[in-house]
Amino acid sequence: MDFFGKCKIWVLFICLISQLGQGFYLPGSYPHKHVVGDALSVKVNSLTSIDTEIPFSYYSLPFCPPQEGVKDSAENLGELLMGDRIENSPYRFKMYTNETEIYLCQTKSLSGDEFKLMKKRIDEMYQVNLILDNLPAIRYTRKEGLFLRWTGYPIGIKVQEVYYVFNHLKFTVLVHKYEETNVASVMGTGDAAEVIPTGGKSDSDVPGYMVVGFEVTPCSYQNTAVSLKNLKMYGKYPSAIKCDPTSVAMAVKENEPVAFTYEVAFVESDIKWPSRWDAYLKMEGAKVHWFSILNSLMVITFLAGIVLVIFLRTVRRDLTRYEELDKEAQAQMNEELSGWKLVVGDVFRAPSNPSLLCVMVGDGVQILGMSVVTILFAALGFMSPASRGTLITGMLFSYMILGIAAGYVAVRMWRTIFCGDHKGWVSVSWRVACFFPGIAFLILTTLNFLLWGSHSTGAIPFSLFVILILLWFCISVPLTLVGGYFGAKAPHIEYPVRTNQIPREIPAQKYPSWLLVLGAGTLPFGTLFIELFFIMSSIWMGRVYYVFGFLFIVLLLLVVVCAEVSLVLTYMHLCVEDWKWWWKSFFASGSVAIYIFLYSVNYLIFDLKSLSGPVSATLYLGYSLFMVLAIMLATGTVGFLSSFWFVHYLFSSVKLD
């Protein structure tokens, strides 16, 4: 096939992909058609605060319960692990039917404990999170001429030592005329089944609308208990309610009730279904992301230049000179050699704690594989924020499945270190299956006790703990053992040179080698610290993070930098006759975790200034420690495997008797 023929095939392929992208919308579920007058139900999620980072149930405060009682929505594994508790609410709408002054309920007189709890939650800046048709309620505020977007609305506000509650909500529902999609008409499964209404008329005959936006404006409106005595839920409030978000009126007082009302207006919008999440996912600071990538590319280019010099000028030149000599001259030259050529009989000597090194490398392969798979699928749109919890669920299941890769790599490395001896591979596989999950279980259990003590919805239920243990024992452990079995059966990597019986003495160094290893972590940290700010803001500041395309590029650049840093540092150690390179190559790139943890502490002090209480700070540091441990294993594995390949390649080029 000629060049132009190949070009035509590529053009057709790209056109096909673009057409598929127009016909199939990945980030979100299928459109839901609602006929005028159809009932729309609003759901409530956990109360959240960036001040404490501890979520609580919506009905832990004296809000109006639904007439049918409080019911939990079906939640997936990821939602439960994230602390989401989605429940039904008393707020009900009718499609394209504007309603005003709708009375919900009047609470009983607030007891002393309820009054104190309400004041505490207002002081801690807790937000109410509402959901309509899978869209979180969004609130717009104006500050210094700029429009700011927020998800949810505050419970209340404190003004001059007086606490006010937002007891009237003004909802704006943006709708778009329903458009029949090819996917919905062809695929009658999943959410598309809800598109097809029951009845005599066909889908195209009945006009309908899709919900494409959900906005809320909270107000504090003063009402009197006397005028509400005979009102029932969803009745008409006796007087007109003017919603003014700039003023407050309903003060929270002990032994006095609070009445809640709302209004809803439907507005037809030009926003189409695939674009309804744009308001939440609008990427800010795109230039900063590109600057981060450019910064990483500069670091990679600098390190690549050093690696190129090592390979082309130093290693190749030395090997060429060495191979041109005859045996007698080689023997004479061996006596005069310096640098890496002198450690030829010790470079593959087994490191200290070889089983621990193999276990950490195996777990690192598993974590790195999970990261690549999860971020790639998220970048392609398979794990959209419309499907809550799918990101965490996907990470969990990809980690368990990749246990087979962890067992294989760890056991094969174990056999390589011990020159093909396959004894003990079951023990190594078990340790791989238990090392990182065991540490994670210990950290999360400790943090969970703190959340249980706070009665937070963020606490993992005991039943979920049992499910996680069963998933680990029934899926992850067997797959790791299967991978270990294949690793034991696979041929071990043979060393190109023999190891001397007596280890060579390492000359005294001018500076501690571990100091250089710890300093090497600054280069990988430099490639990701800008993106790290956006990730931290997403986790702890409640901002939606969805620039997974950038994150995937940064991940690839991080892998390249870690490999280059470890390779250069290993060569430097060999040149000063330090043959104990195994652990140093692991921590040369793995030391980036130290700088990430220090950055986390810096973020806690300077960016999360409002974080209050020792429990919140402990939770933050505990989750940061868990994240840092995973990063250390993944980056350390990249550095070790690249250094192992480099050392094997280097000494396989040396011809010895």
Side-chain angles (χ1 to χ4, degrees), residues 4 6 52 70 88 99 177 346 351 398 463 554 585 610 626:
F4 292 103
K6 292 180 180 178
T52 66
V70 179
N88 59 337
E99 296 176 281
K177 283 188 178 179
D346 297 274
S398 61
S463 58
V554 170
S585 66
S610 61
F626 172 68

Side-chain angles (χ1 to χ4, degrees), residues 542-563:
R543 298 172 186 169
V544 179
Y545 185 89
Y546 203 62
V547 285
F548 288 104
F550 281 112
L551 185 59
F552 187 71
I553 295 173
V554 170
L555 177 64
L556 296 180
L557 296 178
L558 176 65
V559 168
V560 175
V561 171
C562 286

Side-chain angles (χ1 to χ4, degrees), residues 185-315:
S185 61
V186 174
M187 299 180 65
T189 59
D191 290 338
E194 300 179 26
V195 175
I196 306 171
T198 56
K201 293 185 178 181
S202 65
D203 207 24
S204 57
D205 294 337
V206 181
Y209 294 90
M210 303 174 290
V211 177
V212 294
F214 184 36
E215 301 171 6
V216 61
T217 304
C219 303
S220 181
Y221 179 78
Q222 180 67 50
N223 48 51
T224 57
V226 178
S227 61
L228 305 176
K229 278 187 176 180
N230 300 322
L231 276 180
K232 294 183 178 180
M233 186 175 280
Y234 307 116
K236 187 79 172 178
Y237 194 79
S239 59
I241 299 176
K242 184 180 179 182
C243 182
D244 183 8
T246 60
S247 63
V248 288
M250 188 64 205
V252 182
K253 297 179 181 178
E254 191 173 353
N255 297 322
E256 288 191 14
V258 179
F260 291 90
T261 55
Y262 71 96
E263 61 183 280
V264 58
F266 287 82
V267 178
E268 194 161 342
S269 170
D270 294 332
I271 300 172
K272 295 187 178 181
W273 176 269
S275 305
R276 69 178 195 151
W277 276 90
D278 287 359
Y280 307 87
L281 308 180
K282 191 170 287 184
M283 188 179 67
E284 297 176 355
K287 291 182 180 179
V288 179
H289 290 281
W290 283 116
F291 173 76
S292 171
I293 291 174
L294 183 62
N295 172 58
S296 304
L297 286 173
M298 290 176 66
V299 174
I300 284 177
T301 306
F302 170 71
L303 290 173
I306 297 176
V307 173
L308 202 63
V309 168
I310 290 173
F311 268 105
L312 297 183
R313 298 194 60 184
T314 308
V315 178

Side-chain angles (χ1 to χ4, degrees), residues 32 54 323 380 634:
H32 293 178
I54 302 175
E323 289 172 0
L380 293 173

Side-chain angles (χ1 to χ4, degrees), residues 501-514:
Q501 291 184 350
I502 301 174
R504 179 186 180 84
E505 184 179 352
I506 299 174
Q509 307 296 325
K510 295 181 181 179
Y511 49 84
S513 59
W514 285 102

Side-chain angles (χ1 to χ4, degrees), residues 127 133 150 244 382 393 413 426 473 572 588 654:
Q127 303 270 327
D133 197 32
W150 308 85
D244 183 8
F382 287 98
T393 306
M413 184 56 62
V426 176
F473 190 74
M572 290 174 64
V654 179

Side-chain angles (χ1 to χ4, degrees), residues 449-464:
F449 277 120
L450 296 176
L451 292 170
W452 269 334
S454 304
H455 305 286
S456 168
T457 58
I460 302 174
F462 179 75
S463 58
L464 185 57

